[in-house]
Amino acid sequence: MAATHTHTDQFIITGLCNNDTRVIRDVYKNYSAKIYNWIKQNNGTQVEAEDIFQEALMDIFIKAKSSDFTLTCPFDAFLFVIVRNKWFSQLKFNKKMVVTKDAVFLSNTSNNEMKDAEAVIMNERQHQLLGEKLNELQEGCKTLLELSWQGLSMEEVATKLNVTYGYARKKKSLCMAKLIDSLKVNKHIILQ
Amino acid sequence: MTIEEKYELFDASLEDKLSKEETLVLQEILKDTKIQEEFDTYVQIQNQYINWQKIELDKKVFKQNLDAVKLEQQDTMSPVESDRNNSNAIKVSFVKKYLIPLSAAAVIPIGVFVAMQTGLFTAKQQIAAFAPDELSMERGMEADTFANIVTLYNEKKYQEALPLIETYQKAHPENINIQLAKAICYLDKKDFPLAENELQSIIAQNNMYKEKAQWYLANVYLKQGKQEALKALFKSISKDHFYFTAMKLIAR
């Protein structure tokens, strides 16, 4: 079993996490064309390829922002695994490719590449799920929760919403109960 | 005590707004391990959302930067470069070093498999995009073994693939994809206890293969007539995967 160590390409992750334009520029310059070509060779259009490339970078950014993320493989290989995963998911979604229930693909991607990419993919699912479930709440609940998560005290939240402190407190517990209940089935994803 | 009342207490305690009486009540109810778990979940989910909200704001700024760089790249790209990038010219060292072997290793089996399953992508199309001989040059003997596994597995010759998979997995215990393939081979062999062991192990690892493993585990239960285990499993399946199919099956 290979020992886990930080790859020298970690600086790219740090750069993306810091929204460093120089790093983003280099990433586009060095990797975008090849990724675009690969997607186009696999039933994609130029626009789809550009979107997938950008979404993959967004996913990496979210992961790097969410927790300490250590890259243990070359960035290009890691990026490619994420792109490939996203693209096959999209093909499946668009029904351009029928992936049957028992479709289990074998690939010879190295363990490190797979592990790093998997961390990003799972994190993206988690992030997306949190957003989806929050958006399913009624607007009043959503606003109250968002305000309370911004670091405001419940008194301040109550003042902003022009309601009493007691009401705001009670309402928050009701909204949290709804939210947590809706996340119950996906608890394993949320509480990674 | 209703769940909302509990949450009100949890939230007030996190804000340090509990009265003495409420503090005593909270301390008392937290002695119950189930409520302690609920409290931990509450805190974790709230923290996840606080973090999520911060990232959502950063994400917008990052996206703007990505869009700006993308435009900049398009503007600076000469027509010749643009043409080259849009063609199949995979000549740059990055591609040679990583993308070709990686893609060949990954995409050829996927292509072969999908072609067999769907007829949409032919293996020829996939292989044409990547040089297959680069795979063996880069990965040597291991690639031969793996290619053999992939061929046998994708041709559904599970019993022939199984011994090779078992050997390969010993050297690569972290490869969950292979572990899942192994479980499927056991399932095909009707060796249900071994299939179940492998699938349970994948599920316990909570990774991206979890849902697929759950689906196969359901097959294992179904083939053994374990109705109760099957129902319990279906109820635990994540909503964005096989949930709806699972619910339909429960209803039957």
Side-chain angles (χ1 to χ4, degrees):
Chain A
M1 200 181 296
T4 305
H5 63 278
T6 307
H7 193 273
T8 47
D9 284 351
Q10 176 71 29
F11 76 95
I12 304 177
I13 302 292
T14 312
L16 291 176
C17 183
N18 294 332
N19 199 3
D20 185 332
T21 307
R22 287 166 307 177
V23 172
I24 296 173
R25 216 172 262 151
D26 279 348
V27 167
Y28 260 93
K29 194 175 155 199
N30 293 324
Y31 311 127
S32 63
K34 292 93 193 179
I35 296 286
Y36 294 169
N37 276 334
W38 182 81
I39 291 178
K40 285 191 284 184
Q41 282 165 352
N42 284 281
N43 271 12
T45 64
Q46 175 69 23
V47 175
E48 284 171 325
E50 287 171 11
D51 287 348
I52 289 283
F53 182 73
Q54 203 176 71
E55 282 172 25
L57 295 182
M58 296 280 283
D59 293 349
I60 296 170
F61 171 80
I62 293 168
K63 176 65 190 167
K65 280 274 173 196
S66 308
S67 57
D68 290 335
F69 176 63
T70 306
L71 187 71
T72 59
C73 62
F75 179 80
D76 45 16
F78 158 73
L79 177 65
F80 181 69
V81 178
I82 297 171
V83 164
R84 190 187 63 196
N85 187 288
K86 290 190 87 69
W87 181 237
F88 281 124
S89 298
Q90 186 157 322
L91 283 177
K92 185 179 152 190
F93 183 77
N94 292 345
K95 306 240 188 290
K96 279 189 186 175
M97 176 174 89
V98 181
V99 178
T100 60
K101 273 176 212 147
D102 60 348
V104 170
F105 303 128
L106 288 176
S107 72
N108 201 15
T109 308
S110 87
N111 291 331
N112 281 358
E113 289 154 15
M114 193 53 110
K115 186 173 67 61
D116 289 353
E118 192 184 297
V120 171
I121 293 160
M122 283 300 277
N123 190 71
E124 191 269 337
R125 272 182 68 189
Q126 184 191 60
H127 195 85
Q128 198 181 9
L129 200 60
L130 289 168
E132 274 172 20
K133 296 299 171 192
L134 183 66
N135 284 328
E136 282 172 14
L137 293 179
Q138 285 181 343
E139 205 49 42
C141 264
K142 203 180 143 193
T143 311
L144 185 140
L145 290 177
E146 282 179 335
L147 284 173
S148 78
W149 296 330
Q150 280 168 18
L152 299 179
S153 70
M154 281 315 283
E155 282 100 338
E156 288 168 320
V157 172
T159 310
K160 275 204 173 244
L161 295 177
N162 205 18
V163 294
T164 64
Y165 170 70
Y167 176 83
R169 177 116 272 159
K170 197 161 194 65
K171 181 84 180 163
K172 184 180 176 187
S173 70
L174 281 166
C175 299
M176 280 300 283
K178 273 186 198 160
L179 187 60
I180 290 174
D181 187 58
S182 71
L183 288 165
K184 211 158 50 187
V185 186
N186 296 299
K187 210 168 140 184
H188 67 284
I189 299 173
I190 299 300
L191 303 180
Q192 282 276 322
Chain B
M1 186 179 281
T2 65
I3 194 136
E4 289 81 14
E5 285 167 342
K6 267 185 277 177
Y7 283 1
E8 231 180 303
L9 275 181
F10 293 169
D11 201 54
S13 87
L14 293 174
E15 266 203 35
D16 211 10
K17 290 275 167 66
L18 286 180
S19 66
K20 277 184 185 171
E21 281 172 1
E22 286 173 328
T23 308
L24 287 173
V25 173
L26 183 65
Q27 282 171 353
E28 192 54 39
I29 63 168
L30 287 182
K31 284 178 188 165
D32 181 337
T33 50
K34 212 178 150 199
I35 298 181
Q36 178 67 54
E37 265 177 41
E38 281 179 43
F39 179 68
D40 293 341
T41 304
Y42 185 95
V43 175
Q44 284 181 63
I45 288 183
Q46 178 150 286
N47 287 342
Q48 291 272 29
Y49 268 107
I50 292 169
N51 197 24
W52 174 85
Q53 205 167 29
K54 280 183 201 155
I55 294 171
E56 278 296 292
L57 290 173
D58 293 339
K59 223 172 93 177
K60 282 180 192 159
V61 181
F62 182 69
K63 170 94 170 63
Q64 284 168 359
N65 210 3
L66 285 182
D67 286 338
V69 171
K70 191 173 104 180
L71 275 177
E72 193 185 287
Q73 297 277 327
Q74 284 169 351
D75 288 348
T76 55
M77 204 181 277
S78 68
V80 177
E81 275 177 315
S82 176
D83 265 8
R84 195 177 58 211
N85 285 330
N86 287 333
S87 76
N88 289 345
I90 308 175
K91 291 174 184 169
V92 191
S93 63
F94 150 74
V95 186
K96 219 170 187 179
K97 200 170 171 192
Y98 300 115
L99 198 60
I100 290 177
L102 178 70
S103 308
V107 177
I108 291 170
I110 292 171
V112 172
F113 189 85
V114 171
M116 293 193 64
Q117 293 281 329
T118 67
L120 277 179
F121 290 139
T122 65
K124 202 177 162 194
Q125 276 174 327
Q126 292 285 342
I127 292 165
F130 308 100
D133 51 351
E134 293 257 3
L135 172 67
S136 49
M137 276 165 60
E138 288 279 332
R139 309 229 176 197
M141 286 287 284
E142 204 171 49
D144 294 341
T145 311
F146 191 81
N148 204 3
I149 290 174
V150 169
T151 307
L152 290 170
Y153 180 88
N154 289 341
E155 285 173 2
K156 299 196 175 186
K157 293 178 180 167
Y158 298 125
Q159 296 325 308
E160 285 176 59
L162 184 57
L164 297 176
I165 288 178
E166 284 174 329
T167 311
Y168 186 88
Q169 207 219 348
K170 274 182 196 157
H172 301 276
E174 287 174 357
N175 191 329
I176 313 297
N177 206 12
I178 273 287
Q179 194 180 3
L180 187 55
K182 189 164 98 174
I184 292 163
C185 291
Y186 285 140
L187 179 60
D188 177 72
K189 200 181 167 188
K190 298 192 170 50
D191 199 336
F192 300 124
L194 282 182
E196 187 175 342
N197 271 351
E198 296 297 338
L199 295 167
Q200 293 282 20
S201 149
I202 296 168
I203 292 166
Q205 291 172 61
N206 239 350
N207 53 41
M208 61 193 270
Y209 295 98
K210 182 174 176 166
E211 281 83 9
K212 270 188 184 145
Q214 283 176 318
W215 187 255
Y216 282 99
L217 185 61
N219 269 284
V220 170
Y221 290 152
L222 191 69
K223 292 196 173 174
Q224 294 178 98
K226 293 182 173 175
Q227 297 294 327
E228 288 311 308
L230 187 65
K231 276 187 189 174
L233 177 69
F234 276 167
K235 281 178 183 165
S236 72
I237 282 176
S238 168
K239 274 191 179 163
D240 49 355
H241 279 75
F242 306 112
Y243 184 78
F244 292 108
T245 318
M247 287 301 116
K248 276 186 206 162
L249 287 171
I250 289 178
R252 263 190 218 168

